[in-house]
Amino acid sequence: MAGREDDSRPTTQVRDAGDPTWAQELLEHLRPTGRDVRRVVTWLAGTVDGTACLRDDTGRLVAGAPTTLDEDLVADIVTGRIASAALDEGGHHLRLVRVHHPYTASGWVLAVARETPFDRRAADIVTRTAQLVELLLRARETAEAGRRLKRAAADLRLAILQLLMVEDTVSARRVAAGLWPGLLDTDTACVFVAESRPGERDRLAEECIEATAEQALVVRCPAMDRHVIVVAPGEAPAEALRSLVVRHPGTFLGGSARQSLARTATAYGQAVSALAVARFRPDKTAVYAERTHPERLMDPEVLRVWTTRMLRPLDALPHHTRAELLATTRLGLEFTAVSAAKVLGVSRNTVRARMERVEGLLHTDFSDLTVRAVVHLALNTQVGLGEEAAADGAGAASPTPLGDLLAGPALRTWAGDLLGRLDTDARDLRRSLRAWIAEGGNAERAAQTLGVHAQTVREHVRSAEPVLERQLLAAGSDLYEVVVAHVAMGELEPPALDPSKTGHPDSSVHG
């Protein structure tokens, strides 16, 4: 047996020992499509007409065929006491070479056995193969470290978005400051949602990061596997995103109006709504239209007092609990519980439990679409109220009843114009839509009421979407505006929500 001290370092130079064929074949394994350690070990065994195996520092077989080895000799090589060894006994010829692993103190062992003695060519092939294996291991570990870093950065971006979604802007800025200084040093931002073809979302996300030069928060949407969410504080990222979408077929972009960071969840909902419009635009992009919203047609002071009294039962809760319930309910009304849970980073049962607690506090039922629409109106109005305004509202004598709040002439005119768009369709879309809303968005129950097939109801609701320019089948702001329009026109009864009679602080539901 012969051993060699570990005093050599790897090199990319391959000597051909008078035979250029094996050297060329070995170098082929450095190509991007051939970087597989197992294939290299298999190639080595065939080239030297023997068997080969690669073991890690724990003795685990990484590649090749199992080979019985002298474990004391292997230990010397793994620990670095010797760099290589040759063993010839009973017609069994063995070569062992230490492979330096880039991220462990111990080495790996490449062992080659054959029935004939190792000549210079065979020995040289083993040595050079060990060096190439080390290069491949280093490349693999470097690539894996890069992937881990990307995953960590992606997780941080998602964590920041989730903090913004629950209005915790202070924590969001603190987390962002470590890796992206100055990114959230702003009071307002726009949210964009880019949609890609199936399987292309990762590429789209990387291109969004590159296009925005890390001047925006780019997050792979945890709820929709084709969406990339971008929170853009400045104007430059918006232009870069539009340019990116135009260049790629099958990609669409929806953007929100500029909102405060605390209203990121609202901006996200606007971007999703705009995305639905973008799918029908030639340039594949759309920005949320600052159309006339029903709350803007109500007396602002009356609406403020009504909202404050409506949500008064939540005021007795600790501040962080109240903020958590409000943020979760706001998202839960905009999206499904599953989607809201993924965006917030909690379980869907947590989302449902929080929303059920709000239902209990408000003594209401979120399965009723009119209830959801009115609570959604209150939550959106509440976002713009400061603590002082909330206190003033809480002390007001008697808020206006909901029916009166929704019966103003300006609101009725808006509602009549909106729903009147449906009257030109001979299929009576308006009747189908009204029945569908009254049945909580359940097509089967609405079909029984109307005496038609459930698929007919679905088709009518779907046909009403482009006419009204609003998404209806997906719960959210668009649907709730249409519900409010029906209530304002007297086509649906207002829900039994009276802020003067909702629960008091001592009626909290614990959970």
Side-chain angles (χ1 to χ4, degrees):
M1 182 185 75
R4 179 172 61 82
E5 295 293 333
D6 186 12
D7 58 356
S8 65
R9 301 302 306 164
T11 174
T12 58
Q13 180 183 3
V14 177
R15 295 191 299 259
D16 61 20
D19 179 4
T21 303
W22 72 264
Q24 185 62 39
E25 291 177 355
L26 184 58
L27 287 174
E28 288 293 323
H29 289 283
L30 287 175
R31 293 182 180 275
T33 56
R35 296 174 183 175
D36 187 333
V37 170
R38 290 169 298 183
R39 290 174 58 186
V40 172
V41 174
T42 299
W43 170 88
L44 172 61
T47 303
V48 301
D49 193 21
T51 61
C53 71
L54 178 67
R55 288 171 41 170
D56 65 14
D57 53 342
T58 66
R60 180 178 65 90
L61 181 67
V62 177
T67 303
T68 302
L69 302 175
D70 184 324
E71 295 303 328
D72 291 335
L73 183 59
V74 170
D76 287 341
I77 294 177
V78 166
T79 57
R81 194 172 72 84
I82 58 176
S84 63
L87 183 65
D88 300 327
E89 57 181 16
H92 184 71
H93 306 276
L94 185 66
R95 287 286 190 276
L96 296 93
V97 181
R98 187 173 194 265
V99 175
H100 297 268
H101 194 280
Y103 295 107
T104 62
S106 302
W108 290 12
V109 176
L110 177 64
V112 183
R114 53 187 250 162
E115 295 179 357
T116 58
F118 283 82
D119 54 16
R120 179 180 177 184
R121 173 184 178 275
D124 208 19
I125 291 174
V126 173
T127 301
R128 301 307 172 188
T129 301
Q131 294 172 355
L132 184 133
V133 167
E134 180 178 340
L135 290 176
L136 293 181
L137 292 177
R138 187 178 298 276
R140 186 177 68 182
E141 290 300 321
T142 300
E144 181 59 31
R147 285 191 289 269
R148 287 195 296 268
L149 182 59
K150 281 188 176 181
R151 284 197 297 269
D155 290 344
L156 272 179
R157 291 188 180 97
L158 176 59
I160 295 168
L161 176 67
Q162 290 169 340
L163 289 169
L164 291 175
M165 287 290 192
V166 296
E167 303 175 26
D168 192 350
T169 56
V170 174
S171 296
R173 287 190 176 105
R174 186 178 298 122
V175 174
L179 287 179
W180 303 284
L183 177 63
L184 297 181
D185 289 350
T186 178
D187 294 326
T188 62
C190 292
V191 173
F192 294 88
V193 176
E195 181 181 83
S196 66
R197 290 173 173 172
E200 296 184 3
R201 200 259 297 266
D202 287 346
R203 174 195 59 79
L204 178 61
E206 291 300 323
E207 292 196 23
C208 286
I209 293 173
E210 182 178 351
T212 58
E214 296 198 346
Q215 296 180 41
L217 182 68
V218 179
V219 180
R220 292 167 176 80
C221 179
M224 303 295 291
D225 58 10
R226 296 173 63 178
H227 288 182
V228 175
I229 303 170
V230 182
V231 181
E235 297 296 333
E239 294 301 321
L241 290 173
R242 292 188 186 98
S243 176
L244 175 65
V245 168
V246 169
R247 297 196 306 267
H248 292 281
T251 305
F252 305 94
L253 180 70
S256 74
R258 184 162 290 276
Q259 301 283 355
S260 68
L261 285 182
R263 299 197 67 179
T264 298
T266 299
Y268 172 52
Q270 291 181 351
V272 172
S273 179
L275 181 63
V277 177
R279 298 189 186 103
F280 302 98
R281 293 279 183 85
D283 62 356
K284 305 184 297 181
T285 65
V287 175
Y288 185 77
E290 278 296 337
R291 60 195 181 215
T292 301
H293 298 290
E295 60 267 26
R296 296 182 179 178
L297 301 172
M298 304 175 192
D299 184 311
E301 180 60 22
V302 173
L303 178 61
R304 180 182 68 83
V305 173
W306 175 86
T307 295
T308 304
R309 292 293 294 273
M310 172 75 196
L311 301 177
R312 185 179 180 184
L314 281 75
D315 292 346
L317 300 173
H319 177 75
H320 72 280
T321 302
R322 180 177 184 272
E324 184 178 71
L325 292 180
L326 289 174
T328 301
T329 303
R330 192 175 295 115
L331 275 178
L333 292 176
E334 285 284 353
F335 309 100
T336 65
V338 174
S339 295
K342 291 179 179 178
V343 171
L344 292 171
V346 298
S347 72
R348 60 184 177 181
N349 288 336
T350 297
V351 170
R352 288 169 179 152
R354 291 174 183 175
M355 293 185 69
E356 287 172 1
R357 186 173 185 186
V358 173
E359 281 182 298
L361 289 167
L362 300 183
H363 300 287
T364 191
D365 181 5
F366 285 160
S367 65
D368 187 327
L369 276 181
T370 59
V371 170
R372 293 173 72 92
V374 169
V375 174
H376 181 268
L377 171 66
L379 292 176
N380 276 355
T381 304
Q382 182 270 340
V383 170
L385 296 178
E387 295 297 330
E388 184 177 347
D392 291 343
S398 57
T400 301
L402 176 61
D404 294 343
L405 181 67
L406 301 180
L411 187 63
R412 284 183 59 85
T413 299
W414 165 82
D417 291 342
L418 178 64
L419 298 182
R421 302 178 193 176
L422 300 172
D423 294 339
T424 58
D425 196 301
R427 293 173 293 177
D428 203 351
L429 301 183
R430 188 164 177 171
R431 175 172 174 263
S432 297
L433 179 58
R434 180 172 62 251
W436 180 75
I437 293 174
E439 295 295 344
N442 186 291
E444 285 76 13
R445 292 199 301 266
Q448 292 177 359
T449 300
L450 297 171
V452 298
H453 196 278
Q455 187 59 32
T456 300
V457 174
R458 295 188 187 95
E459 290 175 358
H460 285 190
V461 174
R462 191 176 292 109
S463 297
E465 289 185 321
V467 178
L468 299 176
E469 297 181 339
R470 285 163 173 81
Q471 292 188 99
L472 302 176
L473 293 172
S477 300
D478 286 3
L479 172 60
Y480 300 141
E481 286 187 7
V482 175
V483 174
V484 168
H486 279 84
V487 176
M489 291 299 295
E491 297 185 19
L492 289 173
E493 290 295 323
L497 289 173
D498 188 344
S500 65
K501 296 180 181 180
T502 52
H504 296 285
D506 59 357
S507 64
S508 300
V509 177
H510 299 284

